[in-house]
Amino acid sequence: MNSPAPLSLDELLAHVRSGGRRVTVAKRTVARVLLATTGHARADDVISEVRALAPDVSASTVYRILDEFEDLGLVVHAHLGSGAAVYHLAGPVHGHLVCNVCHATTEVPSAVFDALAQELQREYGFTLDRHHVALSGVCAACAKSPMA
Amino acid sequence: MNSPAPLSLDELLAHVRSGGRRVTVAKRTVARVLLATTGHARADDVISEVRALAPDVSASTVYRILDEFEDLGLVVHAHLGSGAAVYHLAGPVHGHLVCNVCHATTEVPSAVFDALAQELQREYGFTLDRHHVALSGVCAACAKSPMA
DNA sequence: TTAGATGCAAAGACTTTGCGCACTT
DNA sequence: AAGTGCGCAAAGTCTTTGCATCTAA
């Protein structure tokens, strides 16, 4: 169910091919950008960076590719509150803490949600998708300073 | 910090007035609709229902009013995955479980998140906003049936 | 009276889709 | 050669904003 995280560009593209899809300049570039990105990137960020490397790739193509990569289990996306979704390679599963004040996001290991996941399973029959956990609140820094 | 949940239309409107805002037909109608709504409503739902009662209220006004009510602590909204945000009166704090398959949402009492909230506070200095917890996964019904 | 609230219409942010040509396989 | 993938432009969804008018207090 969980695809192992491909670590290299070649592994990534191999997954694309074995998924019956073709490898193109646009896909190679999106893959490269995602590999070079630490943390999350909004589609817009990916688009800009892709264009820096391959100016002719269109925005819609990037959306389509992100979608395809997600179907293949190579990429996950999450909605962190309002605004655009963020994407990143499917690496170690983790959740997100989003600050209401400064909008910073912190990644936390999924182990933190183990107990909760068990309880939800037991009490509600609900299987938590740890890839997509996004919790809002106030981060440590903003809790200290009274101003925004 | 937490405003107590007003239970009647009059209490609700009293909050509006004491917040220095004016009470209008549009606001009264939005309040009425929210009070009549069980569960969550997307802005669009609120708009339709308001229009059923007061046809001349415009969509932008409803958005503005929901915003104002939220400023006053009367309403909370949450983003459940992609798509439109959902709104509801600030009642007992609860979280949401959103099914990836059928998109049903289940409310769960915030007590379920107590342990997690404590851990996040301790480990990350992060203060969880229990009003906005929205977790995605697969609900009990969809876990059983193989089809979507 | 008078500042806040509203309606309308237009703009804006984000994402998806249709179509015909290009490129991968 | 065959058919997937692409660029472009247009449409779609959800939400915000500017401005002239209206209205609650």
Side-chain angles (χ1 to χ4, degrees):
Chain A
M1 218 72 203
N2 276 323
S3 57
L7 297 173
S8 74
L9 183 59
D10 287 340
E11 284 173 302
L12 240 157
L13 298 178
H15 277 258
V16 172
R17 253 186 276 264
S18 63
R21 266 81 170 237
R22 294 179 182 176
V23 172
T24 63
V25 173
K27 291 185 192 177
R28 218 185 310 268
T29 310
V30 170
R32 237 195 280 270
V33 165
L34 290 174
L35 284 166
T37 300
T38 68
H40 320 91
R42 287 165 303 156
D44 227 42
D45 301 326
V46 177
I47 291 166
S48 321
E49 291 175 47
V50 165
R51 286 215 164 127
L53 299 173
D56 290 343
V57 174
S58 78
S60 55
T61 297
V62 173
Y63 275 105
R64 279 191 273 235
I65 291 172
L66 288 171
D67 235 44
E68 178 182 319
F69 283 8
E70 191 151 21
D71 281 348
L72 294 170
L74 301 171
V75 159
V76 287
H77 84 283
H79 295 271
L80 310 178
S82 23
V86 298
Y87 297 79
H88 58 77
L89 288 176
V93 180
H94 62 268
H96 305 98
L97 306 182
V98 187
C99 178
N100 284 337
V101 181
C102 68
H103 303 107
T105 79
T106 308
E107 297 188 2
V108 296
S110 71
V112 172
F113 305 112
D114 283 351
L116 178 66
Q118 279 178 34
E119 180 163 0
L120 294 178
Q121 185 68 256
R122 182 161 27 84
E123 299 293 329
Y124 302 93
F126 186 85
T127 309
L128 180 65
D129 177 359
R130 283 135 143 135
H131 268 305
H132 286 176
V133 176
L135 298 170
S136 62
V138 180
C139 73
C142 291
K144 278 175 197 155
S145 59
M147 55 160 297
Chain B
M1 214 79 210
N2 277 324
S3 59
L7 297 175
S8 73
L9 182 59
D10 288 340
E11 286 174 303
L12 239 158
L13 298 176
H15 277 260
V16 172
R17 255 186 274 264
S18 63
R21 265 79 170 242
R22 295 180 182 174
V23 172
T24 64
V25 173
K27 290 184 194 179
R28 219 185 309 268
T29 310
V30 170
R32 235 194 282 270
V33 166
L34 290 174
L35 283 166
T37 300
T38 67
H40 322 91
R42 286 164 303 155
D44 227 42
D45 301 328
V46 178
I47 291 166
S48 320
E49 291 176 47
V50 165
R51 286 214 164 129
L53 300 173
D56 290 343
V57 175
S58 76
S60 55
T61 297
V62 173
Y63 275 105
R64 281 191 274 234
I65 291 173
L66 289 172
D67 234 45
E68 177 183 318
F69 283 8
E70 191 152 21
D71 282 348
L72 294 170
L74 301 171
V75 159
V76 288
H77 83 282
H79 295 270
L80 309 179
S82 23
V86 298
Y87 297 80
H88 59 78
L89 288 176
V93 180
H94 61 269
H96 305 97
L97 306 182
V98 186
C99 178
N100 285 337
V101 181
C102 67
H103 304 108
T105 79
T106 308
E107 297 190 2
V108 296
S110 72
V112 172
F113 306 111
D114 283 351
L116 177 66
Q118 279 178 34
E119 180 164 1
L120 293 177
Q121 184 69 257
R122 180 159 29 85
E123 298 294 328
Y124 303 92
F126 186 85
T127 308
L128 180 65
D129 177 359
R130 283 136 143 136
H131 267 305
H132 286 175
V133 177
L135 298 170
S136 62
V138 180
C139 74
C142 291
K144 278 175 200 156
S145 59
M147 55 160 298

